[in-house]
PDB file of all heavy atoms in Angstrom:
ATOM      1  N   THR A 416      31.837  50.552-107.854  1.00 54.00           N
ATOM      2  CA  THR A 416      32.540  51.647-108.571  1.00 54.00           C
ATOM      3  C   THR A 416      31.583  52.319-109.530  1.00 54.00           C
ATOM      4  O   THR A 416      30.416  51.840-109.670  1.00 54.00           O
ATOM      5  CB  THR A 416      33.785  51.177-109.320  1.00 54.00           C
ATOM      6  OG1 THR A 416      33.402  50.215-110.297  1.00 54.00           O
ATOM      7  CG2 THR A 416      34.797  50.529-108.357  1.00 54.00           C
ATOM      8  N   GLN A 417      32.062  53.349-110.228  1.00 54.00           N
ATOM      9  CA  GLN A 417      31.148  54.014-111.203  1.00 54.00           C
ATOM     10  C   GLN A 417      30.902  53.123-112.412  1.00 54.00           C
ATOM     11  O   GLN A 417      29.880  53.257-113.073  1.00 54.00           O
ATOM     12  CB  GLN A 417      31.846  55.301-111.678  1.00 54.00           C
ATOM     13  CG  GLN A 417      32.012  56.388-110.583  1.00 54.00           C
ATOM     14  CD  GLN A 417      30.613  56.774-110.096  1.00 54.00           C
ATOM     15  OE1 GLN A 417      29.646  56.831-110.823  1.00 54.00           O
ATOM     16  NE2 GLN A 417      30.559  57.159-108.779  1.00 54.00           N
ATOM     17  N   SER A 418      31.793  52.184-112.613  1.00 54.00           N
ATOM     18  CA  SER A 418      31.593  51.255-113.822  1.00 54.00           C
ATOM     19  C   SER A 418      30.670  50.141-113.447  1.00 54.00           C
ATOM     20  O   SER A 418      30.253  49.373-114.360  1.00 54.00           O
ATOM     21  CB  SER A 418      32.952  50.639-114.238  1.00 54.00           C
ATOM     22  OG  SER A 418      33.554  49.920-113.201  1.00 54.00           O
ATOM     23  N   THR A 419      30.313  49.968-112.168  1.00 51.00           N
ATOM     24  CA  THR A 419      29.366  48.918-111.804  1.00 51.00           C
ATOM     25  C   THR A 419      27.964  49.186-112.382  1.00 51.00           C
ATOM     26  O   THR A 419      27.514  50.360-112.343  1.00 51.00           O
ATOM     27  CB  THR A 419      29.223  48.821-110.239  1.00 51.00           C
ATOM     28  OG1 THR A 419      30.508  48.630-109.707  1.00 51.00           O
ATOM     29  CG2 THR A 419      28.352  47.705-109.870  1.00 51.00           C
ATOM     30  N   PRO A 420      27.291  48.221-113.024  1.00 52.00           N
ATOM     31  CA  PRO A 420      25.995  48.476-113.587  1.00 52.00           C
ATOM     32  C   PRO A 420      25.048  49.136-112.566  1.00 52.00           C
ATOM     33  O   PRO A 420      25.127  48.828-111.411  1.00 52.00           O
ATOM     34  CB  PRO A 420      25.513  47.099-114.030  1.00 52.00           C
ATOM     35  CG  PRO A 420      26.775  46.320-114.132  1.00 52.00           C
ATOM     36  CD  PRO A 420      27.757  46.870-113.168  1.00 52.00           C
ATOM     37  N   LYS A 421      24.192  50.018-113.110  1.00 50.00           N
ATOM     38  CA  LYS A 421      23.360  50.840-112.222  1.00 50.00           C
ATOM     39  C   LYS A 421      22.348  49.935-111.374  1.00 50.00           C
ATOM     40  O   LYS A 421      22.154  50.188-110.215  1.00 50.00           O
ATOM     41  CB  LYS A 421      22.488  51.788-113.070  1.00 50.00           C
ATOM     42  CG  LYS A 421      21.664  52.713-112.247  1.00 50.00           C
ATOM     43  CD  LYS A 421      20.800  53.657-113.137  1.00 50.00           C
ATOM     44  CE  LYS A 421      21.770  54.609-113.893  1.00 50.00           C
ATOM     45  NZ  LYS A 421      20.974  55.548-114.727  1.00 50.00           N
ATOM     46  N   PRO A 422      21.794  48.844-111.946  1.00 50.00           N
ATOM     47  CA  PRO A 422      20.874  48.008-111.084  1.00 50.00           C
ATOM     48  C   PRO A 422      21.614  47.373-109.895  1.00 50.00           C
ATOM     49  O   PRO A 422      21.056  47.299-108.882  1.00 50.00           O
ATOM     50  CB  PRO A 422      20.391  46.911-112.087  1.00 50.00           C
ATOM     51  CG  PRO A 422      20.488  47.576-113.410  1.00 50.00           C
ATOM     52  CD  PRO A 422      21.726  48.460-113.353  1.00 50.00           C
ATOM     53  N   LEU A 423      22.872  46.948-110.169  1.00 48.00           N
ATOM     54  CA  LEU A 423      23.646  46.364-109.075  1.00 48.00           C
ATOM     55  C   LEU A 423      23.971  47.439-108.004  1.00 48.00           C
ATOM     56  O   LEU A 423      23.934  47.137-106.775  1.00 48.00           O
ATOM     57  CB  LEU A 423      24.905  45.746-109.540  1.00 48.00           C
ATOM     58  CG  LEU A 423      24.721  44.577-110.544  1.00 48.00           C
ATOM     59  CD1 LEU A 423      26.081  43.928-110.846  1.00 48.00           C
ATOM     60  CD2 LEU A 423      23.818  43.506-109.923  1.00 48.00           C
ATOM     61  N   ARG A 424      24.288  48.642-108.408  1.00 48.00           N
ATOM     62  CA  ARG A 424      24.534  49.717-107.427  1.00 48.00           C
ATOM     63  C   ARG A 424      23.323  50.054-106.647  1.00 48.00           C
ATOM     64  O   ARG A 424      23.361  50.252-105.379  1.00 48.00           O
ATOM     65  CB  ARG A 424      25.093  50.951-108.131  1.00 48.00           C
ATOM     66  CG  ARG A 424      26.540  50.872-108.423  1.00 48.00           C
ATOM     67  CD  ARG A 424      27.064  52.198-108.994  1.00 48.00           C
ATOM     68  NE  ARG A 424      26.652  52.377-110.443  1.00 48.00           N
ATOM     69  CZ  ARG A 424      26.362  53.586-110.926  1.00 48.00           C
ATOM     70  NH1 ARG A 424      26.361  54.651-110.196  1.00 48.00           N
ATOM     71  NH2 ARG A 424      25.975  53.624-112.189  1.00 48.00           N
ATOM     72  N   PHE A 425      22.178  50.091-107.283  1.00 48.00           N
ATOM     73  CA  PHE A 425      20.923  50.355-106.584  1.00 48.00           C
ATOM     74  C   PHE A 425      20.635  49.259-105.534  1.00 48.00           C
ATOM     75  O   PHE A 425      20.288  49.535-104.393  1.00 48.00           O
ATOM     76  CB  PHE A 425      19.787  50.440-107.564  1.00 48.00           C
ATOM     77  CG  PHE A 425      18.429  50.494-106.937  1.00 48.00           C
ATOM     78  CD1 PHE A 425      17.998  51.682-106.368  1.00 48.00           C
ATOM     79  CD2 PHE A 425      17.646  49.434-106.898  1.00 48.00           C
ATOM     80  CE1 PHE A 425      16.784  51.757-105.743  1.00 48.00           C
ATOM     81  CE2 PHE A 425      16.383  49.451-106.262  1.00 48.00           C
ATOM     82  CZ  PHE A 425      15.951  50.670-105.721  1.00 48.00           C
ATOM     83  N   PHE A 426      20.811  48.041-105.947  1.00 48.00           N
ATOM     84  CA  PHE A 426      20.520  46.925-104.996  1.00 48.00           C
ATOM     85  C   PHE A 426      21.527  46.897-103.855  1.00 48.00           C
ATOM     86  O   PHE A 426      21.190  46.432-102.753  1.00 48.00           O
ATOM     87  CB  PHE A 426      20.458  45.586-105.753  1.00 48.00           C
ATOM     88  CG  PHE A 426      19.146  45.180-106.176  1.00 48.00           C
ATOM     89  CD1 PHE A 426      18.730  45.448-107.485  1.00 48.00           C
ATOM     90  CD2 PHE A 426      18.209  44.595-105.340  1.00 48.00           C
ATOM     91  CE1 PHE A 426      17.458  45.127-107.850  1.00 48.00           C
ATOM     92  CE2 PHE A 426      16.950  44.252-105.757  1.00 48.00           C
ATOM     93  CZ  PHE A 426      16.563  44.550-107.064  1.00 48.00           C
ATOM     94  N   ARG A 427      22.740  47.284-104.105  1.00 48.00           N
ATOM     95  CA  ARG A 427      23.735  47.295-103.014  1.00 48.00           C
ATOM     96  C   ARG A 427      23.355  48.383-101.998  1.00 48.00           C
ATOM     97  O   ARG A 427      23.535  48.247-100.807  1.00 48.00           O
ATOM     98  CB  ARG A 427      25.121  47.582-103.596  1.00 48.00           C
ATOM     99  CG  ARG A 427      26.219  47.643-102.598  1.00 48.00           C
ATOM    100  CD  ARG A 427      26.351  46.226-101.921  1.00 48.00           C
ATOM    101  NE  ARG A 427      27.254  46.235-100.799  1.00 48.00           N
ATOM    102  CZ  ARG A 427      26.901  46.562 -99.618  1.00 48.00           C
ATOM    103  NH1 ARG A 427      25.713  46.927 -99.308  1.00 48.00           N
ATOM    104  NH2 ARG A 427      27.796  46.520 -98.569  1.00 48.00           N
ATOM    105  N   ASP A 428      22.784  49.485-102.426  1.00 48.00           N
ATOM    106  CA  ASP A 428      22.357  50.518-101.543  1.00 48.00           C
ATOM    107  C   ASP A 428      21.126  50.174-100.711  1.00 48.00           C
ATOM    108  O   ASP A 428      21.101  50.514 -99.540  1.00 48.00           O
ATOM    109  CB  ASP A 428      21.942  51.806-102.323  1.00 48.00           C
ATOM    110  CG  ASP A 428      23.237  52.363-103.045  1.00 48.00           C
ATOM    111  OD1 ASP A 428      24.372  52.079-102.583  1.00 48.00           O
ATOM    112  OD2 ASP A 428      23.093  53.072-104.065  1.00 48.00           O
ATOM    113  N   VAL A 429      20.224  49.394-101.267  1.00 46.00           N
ATOM    114  CA  VAL A 429      18.983  49.030-100.516  1.00 46.00           C
ATOM    115  C   VAL A 429      19.195  47.634 -99.911  1.00 46.00           C
ATOM    116  O   VAL A 429      18.171  47.175 -99.325  1.00 46.00           O
ATOM    117  CB  VAL A 429      17.757  49.073-101.422  1.00 46.00           C
ATOM    118  CG1 VAL A 429      17.572  50.446-101.962  1.00 46.00           C
ATOM    119  CG2 VAL A 429      17.826  48.043-102.505  1.00 46.00           C
ATOM    120  N   ALA A 430      20.345  47.011 -99.951  1.00 45.00           N
ATOM    121  CA  ALA A 430      20.486  45.638 -99.424  1.00 45.00           C
ATOM    122  C   ALA A 430      20.208  45.557 -97.933  1.00 45.00           C
ATOM    123  O   ALA A 430      19.624  44.505 -97.523  1.00 45.00           O
ATOM    124  CB  ALA A 430      21.899  45.172 -99.737  1.00 45.00           C
ATOM    125  N   PRO A 431      20.577  46.492 -97.103  1.00 46.00           N
ATOM    126  CA  PRO A 431      20.268  46.325 -95.660  1.00 46.00           C
ATOM    127  C   PRO A 431      18.761  46.159 -95.406  1.00 46.00           C
ATOM    128  O   PRO A 431      18.391  45.699 -94.339  1.00 46.00           O
ATOM    129  CB  PRO A 431      20.778  47.670 -95.101  1.00 46.00           C
ATOM    130  CG  PRO A 431      21.899  48.059 -96.011  1.00 46.00           C
ATOM    131  CD  PRO A 431      21.403  47.660 -97.364  1.00 46.00           C
TER     132      PRO A 431
END
Side-chain angles (χ1 to χ4, degrees):
T416 62
Q417 293 298 326
S418 61
T419 303
K421 189 181 291 186
L423 296 186
R424 277 187 285 147
F425 171 78
F426 268 96
R427 184 62 187 86
D428 294 337
V429 299

